[in-house]
Amino acid sequence: MKEDNKSNDDPKTENYKDKFKERISTVAVVATLIMTVTFAAGFTVPGGYNSDGPHKGMATLLKKPTFIVFVICNTLALYLSIVVVVNNVWAQWGDNSLLIIAVNLSAPLLGIALVLMAIAFAAGLYSVILKLQWLAFLVLVIGGIFVCYIVVIFVLFLIPKMSKYPVLREIIRWAVNLLIWAFDRFFDKRTVH
């Protein structure tokens, strides 16, 4: 059984290449979805457009700081997801080492794009419901919680792959295993048999 596991970790084997091709495909699908959502959000801006006057066709919330945050985060998420898709198409044409480089480069960029898309959503929604302060605050709190969750998950999964220090990789691996065990125990007790 150990020999099968070793053959999956050897970059020269076909199993290794298949494993990375599956990852590339998953990352490409997620990046394409982010690209589609952020592209659409760029043209259907929160608050809509001015329909008359000297600023006809301009966004109604153009001067609001939260709208500016929305535009910047949405734009960065769009372009990062485009870079991820291009990396993954490029990697399909290369050899195994190019495939590994593309996966290792695409994962952090995809994580950043996901966080930026979540921030853009919260900022856009906040800018259109600002008059109802308690709801606007609630949107920011909920968005902040989920952005923190996404960041923690990506850090926990990327540090073991990117760190040069074996001790740090081992600590993170134990932390992830402990987290999985704790969630498993918590949800196992809550299910009725």
Side-chain angles (χ1 to χ4, degrees):
M1 180 110 185
K2 283 196 173 199
E3 287 181 28
D4 289 342
N5 196 13
K6 274 188 178 179
S7 67
N8 284 341
D9 291 339
D10 183 8
K12 295 176 184 151
T13 65
E14 202 59 37
N15 287 341
Y16 191 77
K17 189 172 183 179
D18 290 341
K19 180 173 98 174
F20 272 87
K21 280 196 176 192
E22 287 176 22
R23 289 181 187 173
I24 287 270
S25 297
T26 302
V27 167
V29 167
V30 173
T32 303
L33 288 171
I34 293 171
M35 196 169 53
T36 304
V37 167
T38 55
F39 183 82
F43 287 105
T44 57
V45 295
Y49 297 98
N50 289 320
S51 59
D52 59 356
H55 301 290
K56 185 177 182 178
M58 298 297 288
T60 56
L61 302 173
L62 192 59
K63 305 239 184 216
K64 302 276 185 189
T66 52
F67 181 76
I68 293 168
V69 170
F70 163 78
V71 170
I72 291 169
C73 289
N74 192 63
T75 303
L76 286 171
L78 172 70
Y79 287 119
L80 283 174
S81 60
I82 290 172
V83 167
V84 170
V85 169
V86 169
N87 279 349
N88 293 337
V89 169
W90 173 57
Q92 297 288 337
W93 297 334
D95 60 350
N96 288 358
S97 60
L98 189 60
L99 200 61
I100 295 165
I101 291 169
V103 168
N104 291 337
L105 180 64
S106 294
L109 294 179
L110 184 65
I112 294 167
L114 278 169
V115 168
L116 288 170
M117 186 176 70
I119 293 170
F121 174 78
L125 193 55
Y126 180 85
S127 64
V128 296
I129 61 172
L130 187 56
K131 301 241 185 214
L132 193 54
Q133 294 243 330
W134 71 267
L135 186 57
F137 179 74
L138 183 63
V139 164
L140 287 183
V141 169
I142 292 170
I145 289 169
F146 283 101
V147 165
C148 287
Y149 173 77
I150 292 169
V151 168
V152 166
I153 292 299
F154 270 100
V155 166
L156 286 176
F157 285 110
L158 289 179
I159 283 179
K161 293 176 192 279
M162 299 178 83
S163 176
K164 296 184 264 186
Y165 306 106
V167 173
L168 181 60
R169 287 194 308 254
E170 200 59 36
I171 289 170
I172 296 297
R173 188 173 297 121
W174 276 96
V176 168
N177 287 334
L178 181 64
L179 191 64
I180 291 169
W181 177 81
F183 274 109
D184 186 44
R185 302 259 312 164
F186 175 74
F187 287 112
D188 194 33
K189 286 182 180 180
R190 295 188 69 198
T191 44
V192 179
H193 296 290

